[in-house]
Amino acid sequence: MSWKKSALVATAGLLTFWISSSHRPEEGMFPLNYLNETELKQAGLQLDADDIFNPEAISLTNALVNVGGCTGSFISNEGLIITNHHCVYGSVAKLSTPEQNYLENGFIARNHSEELQVPIPCKVLQSYEDVSDRVLQGLEAITDPMVRAQTIQDNIKSIAEKDQTENPELKVEISEMFVGRSYTLFRYIYLQDVRLVMAPPLTIGQFGGDTDNWEWPRHNGDFSLVRAYVGPDGKPAPYSEDNIPYTPQKFLKINPAGTKEGDFVFIMGYPGRTFRHESAAYLAFQEEHHLPRIQQGFKYQIDAIKRHTEGNTAEQLAFAGTVQSLENTEKNYRGKIQGLRRTHLVEQRKMEEDAILEWCKQKANDRGTKVIEDIRSIWAQRDAMAPVYYNYLLMNRQSTVLRTLNQLAQLEFKSPESFQDEEALQTILGTYKLNNVALERDLVVHLLNAQNEANGFSYKSADAFLAQKSQQGDRNFFQSSYVQSLTTNPNAILKDPLYQLTRPMMLRSAEIANQWKDQETLLQSLMPQYTQLRLEFQESLGGDHRFVPDANSTLRLTYGYVKAYSPNDGEVHYPYTTLDGMFEKANTRPDYRLPAETADRLRKDNVPALFKDPKTGKIVVGLLYNMDTTGGNSGSPILNAAGELIGVNFDRSFTATINDYAWNEQYSRSIGCDIRYVLYVLKYVSEADHILQELGIQIP
Ligand code: ASP
């Protein structure tokens, strides 16, 4: 279907609300088959919508790549992909050793044979199909929300399986585009052989570390290059030495001139999840429980890892990816908590919802009233369950010992026979391995005590227990050989003191987690009605309203401008940063570490004007814009009005972390690495003239 036809369907059909006549075009991550060309052109786009997305011909969309959950784009006809440094960070850490530390020093392959395999599969959108009718088939007669939700899931599964059989070379996924009413089937080319081509030194790629993460002004070169390979027949294939670089259907043209303040820009990418239409109770729960509990749990783990790996580079490299991702979420959640408090979003949503309830009562809409009341009541139950539930989540996530003890307890609980099943035990215990025993002990004590407290101190205190056991020096769950020996000896598990200590706690926690799962299904099944109610209520108010689609990890477009902002009273931030700013920060705190050798490479005389902001005459590093992005947009290409690459998106400002719940022109800003800095680092730090040549870039 051509774009024009899709637009017609959109205006005539269910999805009109995605294209409101609002004058706030910067909010919204639009599915590519529902772009509003008029609005885009009015905003500044110089292309036709067909140039961006056209299922019948090659368009910009064909240059977009989902890079293991981040976004990237092809920038050469030899499968070269640009994405973020933080998207390959964990893989680069794994490729590094204290002697050959690519994470610290950076990496550049001088030719194809030097490129290093990374476990980051890439997906390229090949075709799509609206399957809403088929997914919703037979649902008219079903009124029970739980049965409806289950039928939808069953339909999705069978449609996807059938399509996958018909297209074995592609990866088929069905995504819910609008809760309970719109479903799209996507077919992706799945490229498994991906290799690292270039990563900047850590002190460039992550300059500013956790201190600057989620902040503007920003001075890091958060970009990297990988290359996709296919089999000699041109088809996707697992890694093999015989593989050849993939030829994409389209690659982006780089515009080395960059942008200036006020320029129109747009981003295409794979934003993860947003929650713009959630209930007041959901938001209140996020503020009171979900965000602070996860944030504090992650903070403890980060500090513990740092304490127990201090001074040991090999261990630090082993935990580098974990720490980076924990810190990223921990700070993001702090931003969201601050944002929720500052914007009073919960109170606002509650007022809106009360007005909807009132409206339902006036119209005698009992079903509407019940939907809101049911949602509120589920979240109220969860308030009481939250301490145990979140600790249980953390126990399973953060500690190998506790996760294993829990799996054993659940197995035994299922039936004593399954506990005698050697194969089942082997699955749980066979690959048991602890990376750092002291760290593990620390986490086990902390988590067990927290769970004991959450349960009103019904269990034994873990630290006293473990101290006593370790003094006795008995064999225990902190030794891999002991744990592996249990595979054939379930009776020893039953007698293990730590197993006995944790078993009742694990069973009680699992009970809560199961109730939580049932509540989740119920909540999911109520969401279509709730969203519909909000939509109808907004429509009943008339006037200008906007009902933007939530992100769901499918390809989207967002647009806006390179734009300054004022995050706090009395502060105005210019939308570009420069190398001068980086040098001013350099070595003033640990996160601003800049070794002399890297600084020397960055500090060049007679730099061509191309790299400089014409307004300040300084070498540009970062840029800021008011586009609507979220996690998953990491690595997304930032494009100018002509669709040329002018930067790589990598972050949002602290005040914009809340835009997963609500977007606002005042505080929502995203952050990118300017293309001029990408080229500067390639030229002077990586000395990658061969890459610049591949990109067709001439630097005078
Ligand atoms: N830096 C971000 C991330 O890690 C990108 C974003 O969420 O805006 O996911």
Side-chain angles (χ1 to χ4, degrees), residues 98-277:
E99 297 73 40
Q100 198 153 51
N101 198 335
Y102 299 130
L103 189 67
E104 172 63 19
N105 305 320
F107 174 80
I108 177 77
R110 298 278 155 212
N111 52 50
H112 289 349
S113 67
E114 286 184 12
E115 295 169 3
L116 299 173
Q117 208 187 333
V118 280
I120 309 179
C122 289
K123 291 191 303 186
V124 186
L125 182 62
Q126 192 59 10
S127 62
Y128 81 97
E129 206 177 300
D130 188 323
V131 290
S132 310
D133 289 350
R134 284 156 68 196
V135 170
L136 299 174
Q137 200 172 13
L139 257 80
E140 307 78 25
I142 307 176
T143 47
D144 181 329
M146 292 276 265
V147 181
R148 269 182 87 88
Q150 191 51 53
T151 313
I152 289 179
Q153 285 317 313
D154 295 345
N155 288 352
I156 287 179
K157 193 161 172 262
S158 73
I159 298 166
E161 276 172 7
K162 183 163 178 288
D163 207 271
Q164 186 66 71
T165 318
E166 287 161 10
N167 296 285
E169 280 172 10
L170 300 172
K171 192 166 167 38
V172 173
E173 286 170 20
I174 295 182
S175 303
E176 184 175 60
M177 306 304 286
F178 195 85
V179 62
R181 52 161 83 194
S182 163
Y183 299 84
T184 304
L185 179 145
F186 295 94
R187 297 183 195 95
Y188 299 96
I189 298 175
Y190 190 64
L191 300 163
Q192 306 159 61
D193 183 358
V194 177
R195 305 182 194 175
L196 183 71
V197 175
M198 179 267 169
L202 184 71
T203 48
I204 288 183
Q206 298 301 312
F207 180 80
D210 191 42
T211 306
D212 278 9
N213 196 18
W214 305 109
E215 305 281 352
W216 180 262
R218 199 62 168 275
H219 296 91
N220 53 346
D222 191 347
F223 76 95
S224 66
L225 303 175
V226 295
R227 194 186 301 280
Y229 281 76
V230 283
D233 58 357
K235 293 194 175 145
Y239 174 85
S240 152
E241 276 189 7
D242 299 333
N243 283 356
I244 53 169
Y246 172 67
T247 309
Q249 289 164 306
K250 170 96 185 161
F251 65 89
L252 297 179
K253 181 170 179 282
I254 290 175
N255 187 335
T259 47
K260 58 181 185 334
E261 188 171 5
D263 277 359
F264 169 87
V265 275
F266 67 102
I267 278 180
M268 295 165 76
Y270 285 91
R273 288 280 287 131
T274 55
F275 310 89
R276 304 257 167 99
H277 308 295

Side-chain angles (χ1 to χ4, degrees), residues 252-260 608-614 620 638 640 644-647 674-680 692 695-700:
L252 297 179
K253 181 170 179 282
I254 290 175
N255 187 335
T259 47
K260 58 181 185 334
L610 155 86
F611 294 116
K612 298 178 180 170
D613 176 3
V620 181
I638 313 167
N640 64 12
E644 297 160 336
L645 185 70
I646 54 83
D674 198 288
I675 199 69
R676 288 167 282 192
Y677 191 51
V678 170
L679 299 176
Y680 189 88
L692 292 169
L695 303 179
I697 300 289
Q698 305 259 343
I699 292 175

Side-chain angles (χ1 to χ4, degrees), residues 237 290 300 336 413 437 444 491 593 643:
H290 178 81
Y300 187 89
K336 285 191 166 93
F413 180 70
V437 174
V444 167
N491 291 336
R593 186 168 62 85

Side-chain angles (χ1 to χ4, degrees), residues 541-553:
L541 299 176
D544 191 14
H545 64 272
R546 192 174 186 86
F547 211 84
V548 297
D550 269 317
N552 66 348
S553 297

Side-chain angles (χ1 to χ4, degrees), residues 86 213-214 328 332 629-634 649-652:
H86 79 255
N213 196 18
W214 305 109
N328 195 43
N332 174 294
T629 68
T630 186
N633 269 127
S634 289
N649 181 73
F650 68 86
D651 208 4
R652 282 168 282 161

